[in-house]
Structures are given as structure tokens and as C-alpha cells.
Amino acid sequence: MTGAGTIDLNCDLGEGYGPWRMGEDDALLDIVTSANIACGFHAGDPAIMRRTVKSAAERAISIGAHVSYPDLQGFGRRHVERSVEELSADVLYQLGALDALAIAAGSRVAYVKPHGALYNEMAVDPDLARTVVTAVLSYRDDLPLLCMPGSATEEVARSTGLPFYSEGFADRAYDAQGRLVARRLPGAVLTDPAEVSSRAVRMAAGGTVRTTDGAELSLHIDTLCVHGDTPGSVELARAVRRSLEEAGLQMRSFING
Amino acid sequence: MTGAGTIDLNCDLGEGYGPWRMGEDDALLDIVTSANIACGFHAGDPAIMRRTVKSAAERAISIGAHVSYPDLQGFGRRHVERSVEELSADVLYQLGALDALAIAAGSRVAYVKPHGALYNEMAVDPDLARTVVTAVLSYRDDLPLLCMPGSATEEVARSTGLPFYSEGFADRAYDAQGRLVARRLPGAVLTDPAEVSSRAVRMAAGGTVRTTDGAELSLHIDTLCVHGDTPGSVELARAVRRSLEEAGLQMRSFING
Amino acid sequence: MTGAGTIDLNCDLGEGYGPWRMGEDDALLDIVTSANIACGFHAGDPAIMRRTVKSAAERAISIGAHVSYPDLQGFGRRHVERSVEELSADVLYQLGALDALAIAAGSRVAYVKPHGALYNEMAVDPDLARTVVTAVLSYRDDLPLLCMPGSATEEVARSTGLPFYSEGFADRAYDAQGRLVARRLPGAVLTDPAEVSSRAVRMAAGGTVRTTDGAELSLHIDTLCVHGDTPGSVELARAVRRSLEEAGLQMRSFING
Amino acid sequence: MTGAGTIDLNCDLGEGYGPWRMGEDDALLDIVTSANIACGFHAGDPAIMRRTVKSAAERAISIGAHVSYPDLQGFGRRHVERSVEELSADVLYQLGALDALAIAAGSRVAYVKPHGALYNEMAVDPDLARTVVTAVLSYRDDLPLLCMPGSATEEVARSTGLPFYSEGFADRAYDAQGRLVARRLPGAVLTDPAEVSSRAVRMAAGGTVRTTDGAELSLHIDTLCVHGDTPGSVELARAVRRSLEEAGLQMRSFING
């Protein structure tokens, strides 16, 4: 767990494929402390993974395996029917592939963050969460999993002894139960840098978030997720980092916290 | 290197994809001592890899990473243009993916055998061989490589200190220089069980092979490659194993030799 | 619609991919009168499609576009989330691809038969059926669609004026409502050649099927579906054809009926 | 052939895949008169093809099938070993797929332009050119092919009666023989809008190009290729179009010329 006074910033990186690119990886590498790196199933071919891993390793940024359902065309945002055996094999395959590239770059995969539909479905489906947790445990039983606090993912990870870290979204509205408001609803995504930065500081330093009903909800957060794939998102991430530093927080990977 | 009196049999396994199967894996698992397992680039999806790794681990058969150019439709038999960086990343990706599945099954990848076009091209191209050898070294510097004796692959592996083991083909004709006769030429592939078995014993016990010009060529062999994907090939593999045992050879993975 | 005294036999063909094969295409081509040819989304690469189309054209067998969700690894048996625009584009893409190969072989696509999960989901989902029907209409408005009688597919096709033909399964149990009994239930799949053949004749000549509750249900059938991908299935298909011929039925594509 | 006083501008469009985009399609659709639309083999999934075809059809821009080797990861820039049968099937598959989407949009594929490695290899390899030309002929024998003047593609197309149109590159240096100077050589790619525009006008109106040795080479051009995937390329394309119009040339698809 991060100590008081430190905070981690994580973001999705290496989400190109073949000739295509997504997001501003170079700018983000100067902002974040943890990199969720695509493993080839929703994005990221081996050459892109290799470059991204090297860039992260050179900057001492933590390398996270951003594992996904096999769905390149849908960018891992769609549900894909997988048996327990298939999903388990998919997770191990991606985890090992990225870890080998990390080892070759003098580093290791430091954590696992599920991507897209898998992330969202695990968060509410203990059986699905168990399949992923069990797969990770069977590879390296000290490899932390990253997801939302209060998710089925957290519950299952903690019950098995797999380290768990929780992430918050400073640019997303939370409802009274501490769940994210669905993207399609008005007000779900915040874009004002001042507001997002102020929420980030409150989450990182105070461990609270203001919910849509105006209450101040207690929320333990080890890392804040920032984005780089929409216009203005890099500037927003930069503003968030600046505000956190000005508030006296030390930027540091949750792994080393 | 295998001690006197022992011999290894290796074959390609797990070469299905999705709903498709290739070769008689179940029969072969009772015959061989080393399994070259497809890693998803020419064949083998994660679920098939997982099953094959488990079957091999249960029988204490050595697990080999059968790494390939990315070419599912061409089964890895075609040249694919890859830069040094791309090929290096491809090898590490496949190696790590299979190793994670092996670790989850309580085992490890025990060796690397390149597949198809990559195998053939490395054997005569030291630069290509160096790319693959360097990639393997950067992951695990004690991980043996399997290829033909006298190949560029052997030369480069030995010069870098990567363990190397050499394989022979009892069912293929060798020319005076100890090279395989091209498949398309008459007499290149032998199918008579008695002849193939007798060649296998001579290679395994005596370290020689009769070449197409009738000479007896000295050839150090750590493992013999058998096949299971053509009619009669399993019977041939079984006959070879029986002959080797009857000649007093002990069947044993070259890794543990 | 087929005239009295004629019946069509259709089966799935060309379901290999790259180096892999599925089913006994050569044997089936001598038995059936209509070929459902995979279009690359669940099986069938362009070279396999080309060969299968040529074989069908040479024998004057009707060529059907066996369109599927994009799901090679799952063989089109899984649901894939597609928007109306995406599914419409998928259907047109596959339809045009096969039609071009048919045209090059001196023939044309003669009908469309959805595959796997798409077939099953359309049968009970009028919106999904409408998307596929509308896509087919926008390409060629006289191109027949093949599905189960009483399905949403039939209803939507008939309401739009797209020709519709209905298929029956002599080797599957029907419930009292004329629906197929789910495969996983006991007795769902019939394998006795005598029983299957007798059901085939009754369906083709009499337009009835005996349901699981022992009743004789009236069922209009234009074509019977036979299989070639499980042990004994080719023999079963051959037995069915022989029985139909012995019962005086003329084997003829429903398209030309 | 274009009449005197008219010129066509063609460019590559629809080169995204799944979540990824390439080039500024919207801007280019207001500049060009012919759209080379990716068919899924180097870029372009069915949904992207559908949208691009509709946008082109609405603007009465000619739709070209931008057929490629199957090479999504390499963007069709790499050689892929294909037998005559395989390449022929690949071309027909892509051609038919795009044509079906065009028909559904109330249009038709108006021409074929090979992409990347296939384009370059056909231009110097008559056997390869013959395979593609024969495939196109077997689908629609009046479907024009687009390539460089003086190429093997032109020679083979003309010898078979397939309509052929020749394209020029105003932003590329030509050597004394009228061949493009390789991209990697200095001066191969021109970026000064004034120079490129002036060359465009000379090619379109005068039928000549200034070669690297300073000579004025006669070069019959039906269409000029412009790009939209590098910084400044859309502005360059716009400048070229403006200069052509100011020189009194009428912008018009070569198909209708």
C-alpha cells in the first residue's frame, strides 16, 4: 500500500498495432509512475510491447500487464465468451509474453490490470474474478492486481492472498455507493482541469471523493488512472500531476510505496 | 549432451488452432520424450497450449518452445520480413507466453526449437540466428536451443555460450555434406519402417548416418525428430522407439541426459 | 419452393483454414445438392473458398454463402457484439467475397445461410434477422435465405419479399412446438441410420416430423441439412440420400426446384 | 482515358482498423475524385469499408478496390509468398467484398489499384501482374486497373484487353527512365508545395515530368496520387488541387474522363 504522502499515476500505454498508434505515449511517460501495457489481445503487437517496456524500464516506471479478452477489432471493449480454461490460458499467455519482454529489458512485470470488458465484468462477477486471480497466482503469487475498490476483484484477490491495489478516477463521477457513473450518462466524465485536479488531490491526500449526491465518500486509493487518447487528455494528466505535487504528494509507483 | 546409451525423441505437438486439430497428439505423447509446443504464431491458441503443456508436464516430457514467424495462414512455412527488433520481440513474446503456461502447470520451458521457415533460414543465416540466440539469452541464458548439427544456429549458439543440442531425422536422406536432401527431390523422405528404424539406431547408438553417396558420415545427435501429422507417421514413430529400445538405448530427454 | 417429389440436401463445406481441414468435403460433394460455403469469418480462407466454389460449380451444386460472426477461434459458435452497421457490413463483405469467387468460377452465390451463433440468434431475434435480411436485400433482392421454418428469420424475410427456404434436420429431435431439442439434452441427436433415413423420407415426402411427445407435426421443408464433420456422419448422409432416392424423391437443389 | 483538360486525383482512404484511424479521410474526401479503399487485408475492417464507401458514393467519388497481400500487421508493405491460386483468390475476395458494400451504397467498384508491396512487385514482375489481371478479368472484364505507366502491370493489362489507367506522383522524384527514385534516397520525396504543385500541373496538362538528370520526360498520366497520412500532406494535396484548377484543368475521375 502507498504510504501517506505518496501517490501513483497509472495510464494505458502501447495501445497501437502494426502501423497504427493510439494515445500520446511519449508525453505520458513523463507524467505517470505506472504503465498498463497492452499485451497483444486488444492492442499491442510484440514490437510495440518491446518498445513500450523499454521506455518504461528506462524511466523506472512500473510495468503492468494490461490483459484483455482476445478482441483486436473491438479493442477489448466487448464481452467474449470464454470458458474458465480458455480465460485462464489467455491471462497466462499475455502475462508471460509481457514478462519475457520485461525481463529482456532488465525489468519484470510489476502488476496486472485487466482491460476493458474484462475489467468491468470481473468487478461485478466473483467467478470471473476468481478465474483471473487463480491464473495470476499460478504464475507468480506475489504479483499485485489493480482494480476498483469494493469490486469483486478486490474481494476475491484479498481472500486468496494475492496483493491488491485500488485505483481511482479523478475525471469520473462517482455515485453514492462509490461506483462509477456510466459514461453515457450526463456528467459522467469531467473535463475541467481545475475540478479534476482538485478531486485528484482530495482522493490522493484525503482518501475521499465527492459523490453525485454531494456527499463526501471515504475511498482508499493507491493509484489514480489518467488517460492520453482523447484531445486534451495529456494536458489534463499534466495538470493533475502538477496539482498533486503542489499539494506535497510524492509521485511514486504504488508497488514501491 | 546426452550420455552414451540414451536418446531423446522430439516431435511437434499442439499444432491445432480454435476448432482445428493437427497430428495425433495423444498417441505421440506416449512415444516421445520432448515436445515442441506451438506458441500461437504458426499454430496453437492459448487453450490448446495450456492443454498440451499440462499433458507433457504430467508425463515428465520436456517442454520446448516451438517459436515461429507470425504466419497462421501459412503455418509458419513462409518467410516473413522482420526487422531485428521485430523478430527479437516475436521470439520473446512466444517464449514467455509458453513459459507462463508451463509455470502454471508446475513445469518450465526446457528448450527452444525454431519452427518451419525460421528454423530453415536460421540454419544458413548467421545474422538471423544471432537475433534469435540473443533474444533467448536475454530471457534465460541457460535455455538450450535445438537445431541441426553444423548449422549457423549451432555456430552462433556455441559462440555465445547458449546451450545447443543437435537433432537428426531418421526418415530423411542426408547428402554427402550432412545436409538434408530437399523434400521435393526423389528419395528425400523415407517411409519404410525397417529402414527408418535402422537409421535411427545407427544415428542414436553409433553417431553415424549413411549419406546419399553411400558413405557413412559421422553425425553427433542428441535427439531424433519424429512426426505425427501424416498417415502412418505415428506407426513409424512407434517402430522407431521400439527399435531404439531393443538396441538397448534408454529413452530420455536430452535436457536431463 | 421445391416441387412435389424433389428434395435438396445441404451441408457445410470449406470449413478449413490455412493448413487445417474439417469434414470430408470430397465425399460430401458427391452426396449433396447445395453447399454452404464458409466465407472466412468462422472458417475458410480465400484459397479454400476458391477450391470449394470450383468443386461445387463443376458438379452443378448450388453455392450458399455461409455467413458468420467474425470469430475464427470460436468457429462462429459464440455471440459477438455487433452494431447494426457492423453486422450489416460483415454480411455484405462475406457475401460479396464469395460471390466474386463464384463469378470467377462461372457461377453465382445462389442463397445465404447464416452460420452458428448468428443462425441461432436470428431465429429468435427479429431485430437481428432484420439486419441480416436488409443487408442481403441491399446486395441482391432475389437472393434466398435459408433457415428453420417458423423462425424469426422466416418471418422477417417473408415480410420483406426476400425469398425464403426452410430446412429440416433428420438427425435432430423436435419438440412439440417444432423446435429443435437442445444438443446437450439426451436424445437430441439421432445417430441410427435407419431411423434418421426414415425421418428424412417422412420430412421430404410427407412434410411431417414425429416430435418428442410422439405426435406427427406438419413441417414444410425445402432442404435437409446433413453433416460431414463427425465420425460416421458421411455414412449417415449417404444412407439418407439412398433412402430418399429409393422413396422416389428426386435430388435437386431447392433453388431450381 | 481522361480527355484533354481534365485530371483525376486519387488517394488511399479507409486505412483504419477496429479502433485505429490513419490519415485524414474527411479532409481528403473534399479534395480527390477517386478513392482507393482498403479491403481488409492491409487495413479496413468491414464497418470502416462501409462508411468509406458511403462517403465516397455520396460525393460521386470513384470507388477503387485497394487490394493487398494479407498483411495487417505489416500494412501490406511486405512481400507475402502466395501461389498463383492463393493470390488470385485473395484479389477476388477483396474485390467482391468491396463491390458488395458499394452495391449496397448504390454504387460499384470502379477500378482496382493494388497496394504496397503487391503494387511494387507487380510493376516489375509480369507473372505476378498476370495473376492479378487474370483474377480481375474473371470477375468483371471491364474493370480498369491503376498503376504506373511503363510498368509490367500496364503491359500485361493492355495485352489482355483489361482497361488500364496510369498514375503519376507529383511529390516524388523520377529518374531518367521514368521510374520513381527509391524513398530512402535523398531528394526522393518532395515537400515544397510550390514545387509539387508546379510538377502536378506540368504532368496533368503537359504530360511531362522533369527527371533527376534535368531532362523533361514525356509521361502520360490519367490520375495523380495524393496522400493524407503524414503531417502537412492534406495541405499539400489541397495546394495541388488549387494549382490544377487555376491552370484550367477540370477535376474529374479518370473513369468518367
Side-chain angles (χ1 to χ4, degrees):
Chain A
M1 231 160 292
T2 48
T6 75
I7 187 66
D8 174 79
L9 288 180
N10 79 79
C11 76
D12 302 346
L13 290 169
E15 291 190 322
Y17 184 79
W20 298 284
R21 293 295 170 268
M22 184 173 289
E24 303 187 35
D25 283 19
D26 287 339
L28 289 163
L29 283 162
D30 292 334
I31 300 173
V32 301
T33 46
S34 294
N36 318 315
I37 302 181
C39 300
F41 276 42
H42 76 282
D45 60 47
I48 290 177
M49 291 167 69
R50 184 178 175 275
R51 275 199 301 275
T52 312
V53 159
K54 286 185 72 167
S55 297
E58 286 162 12
R59 289 167 177 82
I61 293 171
S62 291
I63 292 168
H66 205 195
V67 299
S68 168
Y69 284 131
D71 176 25
L72 203 61
Q73 205 174 307
F75 201 59
R77 290 185 182 133
R78 302 182 296 192
H79 173 70
V80 177
E81 290 173 36
R82 308 300 280 155
S83 69
V84 169
E85 288 72 24
E86 287 170 334
L87 180 55
S88 172
D90 285 350
V91 169
L92 287 163
Y93 187 95
Q94 296 176 76
L95 205 41
L98 187 68
D99 210 12
L101 290 160
I103 288 168
S107 184
R108 286 305 296 266
V109 165
Y111 65 96
V112 177
K113 176 174 169 180
H115 165 81
L118 180 59
Y119 180 98
N120 293 328
E121 294 175 9
M122 281 173 66
V124 296
D125 180 345
D127 289 336
L128 197 68
R130 196 171 313 278
T131 299
V132 174
V133 165
T134 304
V136 174
L137 278 169
S138 70
Y139 179 56
R140 282 170 47 196
D141 62 11
D142 60 346
L143 196 53
L145 197 59
L146 195 64
C147 195
M148 284 182 288
S151 58
T153 311
E154 174 172 23
E155 192 185 305
V156 172
R158 294 208 187 278
S159 75
T160 61
L162 190 72
F164 179 84
Y165 293 95
S166 57
E167 73 171 340
F169 301 85
D171 61 351
R172 292 290 298 278
Y174 284 80
D175 68 17
Q177 280 71 44
R179 293 171 309 209
L180 294 179
V181 174
R183 270 179 188 280
R184 64 179 185 283
L185 298 179
V189 179
L190 312 175
T191 54
D192 176 53
E195 185 184 8
V196 174
S197 296
S198 125
R199 287 172 72 88
V201 171
R202 214 168 315 137
M203 290 170 98
T208 62
V209 68
R210 184 175 303 272
T211 60
T212 46
D213 60 347
E216 200 74 16
L217 187 77
S218 178
L219 198 72
H220 177 75
I221 291 296
D222 298 300
T223 176
L224 287 163
C225 182
V226 297
H227 305 283
D229 55 349
T230 49
S233 59
V234 170
E235 285 64 38
L236 191 59
R238 224 176 252 131
V240 165
R241 174 164 179 142
R242 202 180 314 114
S243 299
L244 292 168
E245 288 175 328
E246 286 170 5
L249 287 149
Q250 194 192 339
M251 310 307 300
R252 193 172 175 182
S253 168
F254 60 89
I255 300 296
N256 312 310
Chain B
M1 231 159 290
T2 47
T6 76
I7 188 66
D8 174 79
L9 288 181
N10 79 79
C11 76
D12 302 347
L13 290 168
E15 291 190 322
Y17 184 79
W20 298 284
R21 293 296 171 265
M22 183 173 289
E24 303 187 36
D25 284 19
D26 287 338
L28 288 162
L29 282 162
D30 291 333
I31 300 173
V32 301
T33 46
S34 294
N36 318 314
I37 301 181
C39 301
F41 276 42
H42 75 282
D45 60 47
I48 290 176
M49 291 168 69
R50 182 177 176 275
R51 275 198 301 275
T52 312
V53 159
K54 285 185 73 167
S55 297
E58 285 162 12
R59 290 166 175 81
I61 294 172
S62 290
I63 292 167
H66 206 195
V67 299
S68 168
Y69 285 131
D71 176 25
L72 202 60
Q73 205 175 307
F75 201 59
R77 290 187 181 130
R78 302 181 297 192
H79 172 71
V80 177
E81 290 173 35
R82 307 301 279 156
S83 69
V84 168
E85 287 73 23
E86 288 170 334
L87 179 55
S88 173
D90 286 350
V91 169
L92 286 162
Y93 187 94
Q94 296 175 76
L95 206 40
L98 187 68
D99 211 11
L101 289 160
I103 288 168
S107 184
R108 286 304 295 267
V109 165
Y111 65 96
V112 177
K113 176 175 170 179
H115 165 81
L118 180 58
Y119 180 99
N120 293 328
E121 294 175 8
M122 282 172 65
V124 295
D125 180 345
D127 289 337
L128 197 68
R130 195 171 312 278
T131 298
V132 174
V133 165
T134 305
V136 174
L137 278 169
S138 70
Y139 179 56
R140 283 170 46 196
D141 62 11
D142 60 347
L143 196 53
L145 198 58
L146 195 63
C147 196
M148 284 182 288
S151 59
T153 311
E154 173 171 26
E155 193 185 305
V156 172
R158 294 208 187 278
S159 75
T160 61
L162 190 71
F164 179 84
Y165 293 94
S166 57
E167 72 170 340
F169 301 83
D171 61 351
R172 291 290 297 277
Y174 283 81
D175 69 15
Q177 281 72 44
R179 292 171 311 208
L180 294 180
V181 174
R183 270 178 188 281
R184 63 179 184 283
L185 298 179
V189 179
L190 312 175
T191 54
D192 175 52
E195 185 183 8
V196 174
S197 296
S198 125
R199 288 172 73 88
V201 171
R202 213 167 315 136
M203 290 169 99
T208 63
V209 68
R210 184 174 303 271
T211 60
T212 45
D213 60 346
E216 200 73 15
L217 188 76
S218 178
L219 198 73
H220 176 75
I221 291 296
D222 298 301
T223 176
L224 287 164
C225 183
V226 297
H227 305 283
D229 54 349
T230 49
S233 59
V234 170
E235 284 64 37
L236 192 58
R238 224 176 252 133
V240 164
R241 174 164 178 143
R242 202 179 313 117
S243 299
L244 292 168
E245 288 176 329
E246 286 169 4
L249 286 149
Q250 194 193 340
M251 310 307 300
R252 193 173 173 181
S253 169
F254 60 91
I255 299 297
N256 312 310
Chain C
M1 233 160 290
T2 46
T6 76
I7 186 67
D8 174 79
L9 287 181
N10 80 79
C11 75
D12 302 347
L13 289 169
E15 291 191 322
Y17 185 78
W20 298 283
R21 293 296 170 267
M22 184 173 289
E24 302 186 37
D25 283 20
D26 287 340
L28 288 163
L29 282 161
D30 291 334
I31 300 172
V32 301
T33 46
S34 294
N36 318 315
I37 301 180
C39 300
F41 276 42
H42 75 282
D45 60 47
I48 290 176
M49 290 167 69
R50 183 178 176 274
R51 274 198 301 275
T52 312
V53 159
K54 286 185 72 167
S55 297
E58 285 162 13
R59 289 165 176 82
I61 293 172
S62 291
I63 292 168
H66 205 194
V67 300
S68 168
Y69 284 132
D71 176 26
L72 202 61
Q73 205 176 306
F75 201 59
R77 291 187 181 131
R78 301 182 297 192
H79 172 70
V80 178
E81 291 172 35
R82 307 302 279 158
S83 69
V84 169
E85 288 73 24
E86 287 170 333
L87 179 56
S88 172
D90 286 349
V91 169
L92 285 162
Y93 187 94
Q94 295 175 77
L95 204 41
L98 186 69
D99 211 11
L101 290 160
I103 288 168
S107 184
R108 287 303 298 266
V109 165
Y111 65 96
V112 177
K113 176 175 170 179
H115 166 80
L118 180 59
Y119 181 98
N120 293 329
E121 294 175 8
M122 282 172 65
V124 295
D125 180 345
D127 289 337
L128 196 68
R130 195 172 313 279
T131 298
V132 174
V133 165
T134 304
V136 174
L137 278 169
S138 70
Y139 179 56
R140 283 169 48 195
D141 62 11
D142 60 346
L143 195 54
L145 197 58
L146 195 63
C147 195
M148 284 182 288
S151 58
T153 312
E154 173 171 25
E155 192 185 305
V156 173
R158 295 209 187 278
S159 76
T160 61
L162 190 71
F164 178 84
Y165 293 95
S166 57
E167 72 172 339
F169 301 85
D171 61 351
R172 291 290 297 278
Y174 284 80
D175 69 15
Q177 280 72 44
R179 292 172 311 209
L180 293 181
V181 174
R183 270 179 188 279
R184 63 179 184 284
L185 298 178
V189 179
L190 313 174
T191 54
D192 175 53
E195 184 184 8
V196 174
S197 296
S198 126
R199 287 171 72 89
V201 171
R202 215 168 314 136
M203 290 169 99
T208 63
V209 68
R210 184 174 302 271
T211 59
T212 45
D213 59 346
E216 201 73 15
L217 188 77
S218 177
L219 198 74
H220 177 75
I221 291 296
D222 298 302
T223 177
L224 287 164
C225 182
V226 297
H227 305 283
D229 54 351
T230 48
S233 59
V234 170
E235 285 64 37
L236 191 60
R238 225 176 252 130
V240 164
R241 175 164 178 142
R242 202 179 314 116
S243 299
L244 292 167
E245 289 175 328
E246 285 169 6
L249 286 149
Q250 193 192 340
M251 310 307 300
R252 193 173 173 180
S253 168
F254 60 89
I255 300 297
N256 312 309
Chain D
M1 231 159 291
T2 48
T6 76
I7 187 66
D8 173 79
L9 288 180
N10 79 79
C11 76
D12 302 345
L13 290 168
E15 291 189 324
Y17 184 79
W20 298 283
R21 293 296 170 267
M22 184 173 289
E24 303 187 35
D25 283 19
D26 287 339
L28 289 162
L29 283 162
D30 291 334
I31 299 173
V32 302
T33 46
S34 294
N36 317 315
I37 301 180
C39 300
F41 275 42
H42 75 282
D45 59 48
I48 291 176
M49 291 168 69
R50 183 177 176 275
R51 275 198 300 276
T52 312
V53 159
K54 285 185 73 166
S55 296
E58 285 162 12
R59 290 166 176 81
I61 294 172
S62 291
I63 292 168
H66 205 196
V67 298
S68 168
Y69 284 131
D71 176 26
L72 202 61
Q73 204 175 307
F75 201 59
R77 289 185 182 132
R78 302 182 295 192
H79 172 70
V80 177
E81 290 172 37
R82 307 302 279 156
S83 69
V84 168
E85 286 74 23
E86 288 170 333
L87 179 55
S88 173
D90 285 349
V91 168
L92 286 162
Y93 187 95
Q94 295 176 76
L95 205 41
L98 187 68
D99 211 11
L101 290 160
I103 288 168
S107 184
R108 287 304 296 266
V109 165
Y111 65 96
V112 177
K113 177 175 170 179
H115 165 80
L118 180 59
Y119 181 99
N120 293 328
E121 294 175 10
M122 282 172 65
V124 296
D125 180 344
D127 288 336
L128 196 69
R130 196 171 313 278
T131 298
V132 174
V133 165
T134 304
V136 174
L137 278 168
S138 70
Y139 178 57
R140 284 170 45 195
D141 62 11
D142 60 346
L143 195 53
L145 198 58
L146 195 64
C147 196
M148 283 182 288
S151 59
T153 312
E154 174 171 26
E155 193 185 305
V156 172
R158 295 207 187 279
S159 76
T160 61
L162 190 71
F164 178 85
Y165 293 95
S166 56
E167 73 171 339
F169 301 84
D171 61 351
R172 291 291 298 278
Y174 283 81
D175 69 15
Q177 280 71 43
R179 293 171 309 208
L180 294 180
V181 174
R183 271 178 187 280
R184 64 178 185 282
L185 298 178
V189 179
L190 312 175
T191 54
D192 176 53
E195 186 184 7
V196 174
S197 296
S198 126
R199 287 171 72 87
V201 171
R202 214 166 316 134
M203 290 169 98
T208 62
V209 68
R210 184 174 303 272
T211 59
T212 46
D213 61 345
E216 201 74 15
L217 187 77
S218 178
L219 198 73
H220 176 75
I221 291 296
D222 298 301
T223 177
L224 286 163
C225 183
V226 297
H227 305 282
D229 55 350
T230 50
S233 59
V234 170
E235 286 63 38
L236 192 59
R238 223 175 252 131
V240 164
R241 174 162 180 144
R242 201 178 315 115
S243 299
L244 292 168
E245 289 176 328
E246 285 169 5
L249 286 148
Q250 194 192 340
M251 310 307 300
R252 194 172 172 181
S253 168
F254 60 91
I255 299 296
N256 312 310

